[in-house]
Amino acid sequence: MKKMKVISPILMEVSWVPCSPLRRVRIGPIKVRYRMLLLVFRLSFLSFFPSLSLSQHFAPTRTKPHHRISVSLNLKQRKQREEKRRMMMKLDTSGLESFSAAVPSAMATAEDQLFAPPSFDLPAGCADFDKFQMEAKQTLKHAKGTTTLAFIFNQGVIVAADSRASMGGYISSQSVKKIIEINPYMLGTMAGGAADCQFWHRNLGIKCRLHELANKRRISVTGASKLLANILYSYRGMGLSIGTMIAGWDEKGPGLYYVDSEGGRLKGNRFSVGSGSPYAYGVLDNGYRPDMTVDEAHELARRAIYHATFRDGASGGVVSVYHVGPNGWKKLSGDDVSELHYKYYPVQPTPVEHEMVDAPPA
Amino acid sequence: MSIFEYNGSALVAMVGKNCFAIASDRRLGVQLQTVATDFQRVFKIHDRLYIGLSGLATDAQTMYQKLVFRHKLYQLREERDMKPQTFASLVSALLYEKRFGPFFCQPVIAGLGDNDEPFICTMDCLGAKELAKDFVVSGTASESLYGACESMYKPDMEPEELFETISQALLSSVDRDCLSGWGGYVLLVTPTEVQEKILKGRMD
């Protein structure tokens, strides 16, 4: 049974609740359910503020609006109110809609036009729209030139990545942050289109925070990766290029999921994503043991990324290694790959065949 | 990626005071994968004439073998070494012979002519000569190299300064190219000696 320090529940109202309301919590010799504790503190808090309503203790969820002095409404206003309420309670399924171009059919009724997805004019002079769409996607296709890896071991999750961004053969940056901090206990990696990854990870961070505020508990890694995978599936075929790993520590322990822009989502213990991933897998799979210490795991991740940057042209720059433990993530190191090379393989003085010697003075 | 970017290369030649330097990177790759880090791209024709060949590695090696063959025949007939200007015309003619099925390589020729006058020139894959008085570049990193050389070059540099300049230009340019780098090789030629140096560069 995990021991949990109890911090004043009054402060919990404004910060994250670290455990479920049903969990049994120990304060000194007494063992109570957490929600009982919350109730006691709230009641004592309210004894100083009797004007506050008591109904919030006994209704666990607020579905009905608060009581008001009734106003006499005519039939039309009452109907409008009902409809507004019904609209507000409608589920937001905008993330699940498919965005396939709607071909206006000859038999479209008024209702069909109202509920059909937005349609647009085809580009002028375009006989074959499918080919045009394929070509448009091809121009935006990124080759996922990068190396990122993540693995679970007994002490948590290690996440590592290089820092090079390339556009074809040109290196556009050697200092890109490819490990995105979604929140203090979850990390995401970036591979593929940089803009896509940055935007959707930030979007995921927003959704995770909304989940916490709505449900008063942190989202699990399973849940977060599912949210992202569902969003990416709804944009499938539109040319997004994302190959990311969501790593974190939740109530069930360390979690690692691979999510990509084709809509795939895989749970696993070891992943590497990007053009340098075959090289990183070779080193990672060889040196992996579940019972490593944090230092050994750190060195393994750094070595794997270094070897990938040596062999792969599209990876390079700086190796960043992060560790996700029970208290959240921590950045372990950021080493320049070139310095690592000369550290692992110092320059040997080569034997010189012909050496010029000054002629002795006559 | 085009056929010129299949193996990846970077070449630069610079003129100093009665001397010249020719430098190349050392990577041989197959698209993004690095296969070797000690690939030779600068070849000797005779003591005062060197040619660097960028582009497709197999065509570079074949071109070099053909040129060595032609030069050896010339030496037998004329009983002397070729002048750099003549050699440049020879390379240009050989490349244009294959006008409709070219060798995918871009040569950089550097040599010391009469009166120890340094001579450099470059060509495209069909043999169009470009003579320059200061520097010539070639390879996948050529755009970065143009910028670096333009800003770092000064006329009439002594050999040590020329070596420094060309090394810095090469290393900083290949650091912006995924397909070249992994070390550098510089050949510095003066009327009295030839120095070859291997540069310690970024290995990513």
Side-chain angles (χ1 to χ4, degrees), chain A residues 164 169 171-172 310-311 313 317, chain B residues 32 34 176 178 182 201-202 204:
Chain A
R164 177 176 286 186
I171 298 175
S172 36
F310 182 77
R311 283 288 169 181
Chain B
L32 286 175
T34 305
R176 274 288 174 185
C178 298
W182 276 257
R202 281 190 71 93
D204 64 352

Side-chain angles (χ1 to χ4, degrees), chain A residues 164 166 168-174 279 309-317 336-338 341-342 347 356, chain B residues 1 5 27 31-37 144 174-179 182-183 193 199-204:
Chain A
R164 177 176 286 186
S166 48
Y170 181 70
I171 298 175
S172 36
S173 172
Q174 290 268 57
Y279 314 111
T309 59
F310 182 77
R311 283 288 169 181
D312 180 35
S315 308
D336 184 280
V337 146
S338 211
H341 172 86
Y342 291 111
V347 176
M356 271 179 53
Chain B
M1 285 192 190
E5 294 166 19
R27 177 185 183 265
Q31 292 185 327
L32 286 175
Q33 179 182 53
T34 305
V35 173
T37 56
S144 305
V174 300
D175 282 347
R176 274 288 174 185
D177 183 25
C178 298
L179 303 169
W182 276 257
E193 62 177 6
L199 303 175
K200 190 170 137 173
R202 281 190 71 93
M203 301 298 258
D204 64 352

